[in-house]
Amino acid sequence: MRDLAMPRGGCLGAWMPLSCLAAIALVPGSGASADEVVLAPFNDNTLFETMDGSTSNGAGNAVFSGKTGFLGGGVKLRAVLAFDVVGDIPAGSTITSANLTLVLVQASIFGGVYTHTLHRILADWGEGTSVASGGGGALSTPGDATWLHTFFPDQFWTNQGGDFDPIVSASQSVGTCSGPCVPVVPHTWASTPQMVADVQGWLDDPPTNFGWLLMGNEDASNSAKRFASREFVNPKHRPMLTVEFSPPPFSTADITGPRGVSDGCVDAFDLGAMLGAWCSGINDPNPPSPPCENCTPVNLAIADISGAANLPDGCVDAFDLAKL
């Protein structure tokens, strides 16, 4: 919704014309509707247990969790994933559920069914350009997270293997398949109160959003599982965080300008936060109903905002809302 920001005009200072007040009254579902977003990770990687942090998989098509077998050196593997919560959910919203789906693409035929747990990460970390062909990893590149590093080669975790909350946010049993999984197998870490609290915390305090670490059984040999990463060739198999939330209640105190400056005018920035998206049919004489269902979000230009006399005034009023 940040792209909806636009210059202010027409309604100045703290003064609000009646037309603007009418717009508030006509906003559908203000403060009462629930919404859902599906987020892809903006970073994912795997921490490979090594003495020098020389191994990573920042740009690879998979993330790994568990422990490799004898041929793989018996190495512990931990996946890390982070999602841009604040970029897709309006500030002040209440998170009601959060479900993480990962697609299993390969597992050892010598392995079994093991529990994989999510833990909130406590420090920032990175994704470089390393690409591994399997659970052995690849040479770390600048910016990669490793077993030792938050950002290779000179920034480090306080604790080897990553800094994370020992509290389990969610857990899921993951089985095996005969080598590559055909078909692939989706697994969902279903919403828990702790997952909801994690996402709510990231929304309310964005600088603490470092995502989750996924940990498998690190005692059993051949327990490692390979999941599709955000770079996986089939977009449908990439990690997905599905978040349901209730938008914040709307009041005149919430009316802001394009950069969060109170101006007493309902503009495109405000409506974007309330409605969630603009439709491609916004200027259609027969717009879809409800307005923003199954539509392509588009930016709103100042030419689309008009006064009661159909004159551009920089303020969305009742006349403009009627066109929705």
Side-chain angles (χ1 to χ4, degrees), residues 27 39 52 73 77-78 100 113-114 122 138 148 163 173 177 198-199 202 212 219-220 234-235 279 309-310 317:
V27 173
L39 308 178
D52 56 2
L77 312 173
R78 297 173 180 176
L100 175 66
V113 178
Y114 301 105
L122 304 178
L148 303 184
D163 301 329
S173 295
C177 55
D198 291 347
V199 177
W202 299 336
W212 284 303
D219 296 320
N234 189 336
C279 298
N310 200 23
D317 55 23

Side-chain angles (χ1 to χ4, degrees), residues 44-46 48 54-62 64 127-142 144 226 229 231-232:
D44 58 15
N45 208 331
T46 301
F48 297 81
S54 60
T55 305
S56 191
N57 189 30
N61 65 2
F64 299 84
E127 173 187 300
T129 59
S130 56
V131 177
S133 60
L139 290 177
S140 303
T141 62
D144 264 328
R226 177 175 184 155
S229 74
E231 291 87 3
F232 196 76

Side-chain angles (χ1 to χ4, degrees), residues 67-138:
K67 186 178 182 179
T68 63
F70 174 77
L71 294 178
V75 174
K76 297 176 183 178
L77 312 173
R78 297 173 180 176
V80 288
L81 308 98
F83 300 84
D84 185 14
V85 173
V86 72
D88 293 273
I89 301 175
S93 297
T94 299
I95 307 302
T96 55
S97 75
N99 294 274
L100 175 66
T101 299
L102 300 178
V103 173
L104 181 68
V105 295
Q106 189 171 356
S108 171
I109 59 175
F110 303 109
V113 178
Y114 301 105
T115 298
H116 290 245
T117 56
L118 286 178
H119 302 263
R120 183 171 57 89
I121 301 175
L122 304 178
D124 198 10
W125 53 274
E127 173 187 300
T129 59
S130 56
V131 177
S133 60

Side-chain angles (χ1 to χ4, degrees), residues 34-51:
D35 211 340
E36 178 182 284
V37 293
V38 179
L39 308 178
F42 66 84
N43 268 350
D44 58 15
N45 208 331
T46 301
L47 311 183
F48 297 81
E49 184 187 25
T50 59
M51 296 296 294

Side-chain angles (χ1 to χ4, degrees), residues 4-5 7 85-86 89 95 104 123 149 152 157 171 190 203 207 214 224 260 270:
L4 291 174
V85 173
V86 72
I89 301 175
I95 307 302
L104 181 68
H149 304 88
F152 183 85
W157 302 105
S171 61
L203 178 64
L214 180 67
D270 304 314

